[in-house]
Amino acid sequence: MLAVIFTFIWGIALFIFLFYSLISLLFRAISYPRDFCRFAGNQQPAEIDKDLRYFVIVPCFNEAGVIKQTLTNLLNFDQFEVIVVDDASSDDSVAQISQLNSPRLHLLRRYVPNAHTGKGDVLNFALNYICQIIIRQKIAFNKTIVGVIDADARLADNALERLNAYFSSPQTNITQMRVKMYPHFKNELQILQDIEFFSINHMAQIMRMYTRTVGLSGNGQFFRLAPILAKIGQHPWGNALLDDYELTIKMMLRQLSVDYMTDTYVYQEALTSPKKFIRQRSRWVQGDLNCLQYLPRIIKSKILSRTQKLGIYYFLIQPWLNFLADLAIIVLTTIAATHWHSLYANLPPLTLLVVLAGLAGFSLFWGVVFGIFYYYDLYHYHEPRLSYRQLIMLPLGISYMYVILFFSIIMAFWRWGLHENSWIKTEHGKKES
């Protein structure tokens, strides 16, 4: 009876995953090439708006190993004013920032006890400062573009070109850039994070562009200030540990949808340690759970379409779905292992071999499919290729990387149930040049 119950649970989770993955693949393979110009920054405007002013916020807390290189990259874009907010760092982050001498670099500092209250508070703090600048300098709010870049990030060389192409149209409001990991991989875990962001999440974002459900990432988001202030307010970011998706929900509830940039991207540092990886993902899962507070408003909303609601529901249900699916796999595997003799002893050797081969092939199928798309993406964008050994191991890693995320899900539910909402900081090492 127990096996039947957990098989049913696993079947439902598998069906939802397969349906979502298949639709994402179809949009990526068929719709996107045909509608390339619909995506943010791919348009060719009649004239670039020379009055656009860009303010890029960089939150900083103990980022001495990476912050200087990140700010140097941003200052290479001559239209950017960079607002870096040090959130009471205990290392020499401020000393690293102070080595850069540029009138376009603004250092803001928060001090304990007002610091360490979450990324949303840091971003709102910076936005207050930006509003003061544009009022003092009499800059038009509808010409002011605000971006958010992580302290370990770097924008692709064509980023400003694509941003100008997008925001030169006065009808555009918000865009999210594609995300990629730095290509100097030290281990397979970093490669798996790259394929997750650069190809798998990319497919999902393409589908969401058609359904108007694109989600913001914490890195590489840009928006026009005027509609945000008018519809959300002076402090748009909230206190959820997944501040980016919380802001996405707020925007959608006020008829502001996010566009997606496919052909420029923001690099960020992939984690090398499974322990840090689990901690980071537990924060993301818990942030997803924090966003459940918006569920009543989403259900009652007359503004959101059915498709948009389904997209949000799918995102919010993922932690629960993943938890049940992983639990079902653990239980069914345990039952199969403890009852191996009674289940398989009477099968002919050839039949048993076929069954095992079928199970292995099924488990690796999506790893092979996503691996092919990832290989194509690296080739198309002239990114460094993988070695033959890495390519051979790729399907296995893709298919089973989410096994270790079961621990992050447990950690997230535990903290969420105990109302522990403190920020779990992801530590960054020094970037390779």
Side-chain angles (χ1 to χ4, degrees), residues 79-130:
Q79 284 182 254
F80 285 176
E81 298 254 351
V82 181
I83 318 297
V84 57
V85 184
D86 179 73
D87 198 35
S89 295
S90 57
D91 64 0
D92 64 341
S93 292
V94 172
Q96 293 291 322
I97 298 167
S98 300
Q99 292 179 22
L100 299 173
N101 185 18
S102 171
R104 294 185 288 111
L105 177 62
H106 307 256
L107 171 60
L108 308 183
R109 301 187 67 178
R110 282 159 51 93
Y111 298 92
V112 176
N114 297 319
H116 304 167
T117 57
K119 185 178 178 182
D121 286 345
V122 171
L123 296 174
N124 289 328
F125 182 76
L127 195 61
N128 288 340
Y129 178 78
I130 292 171

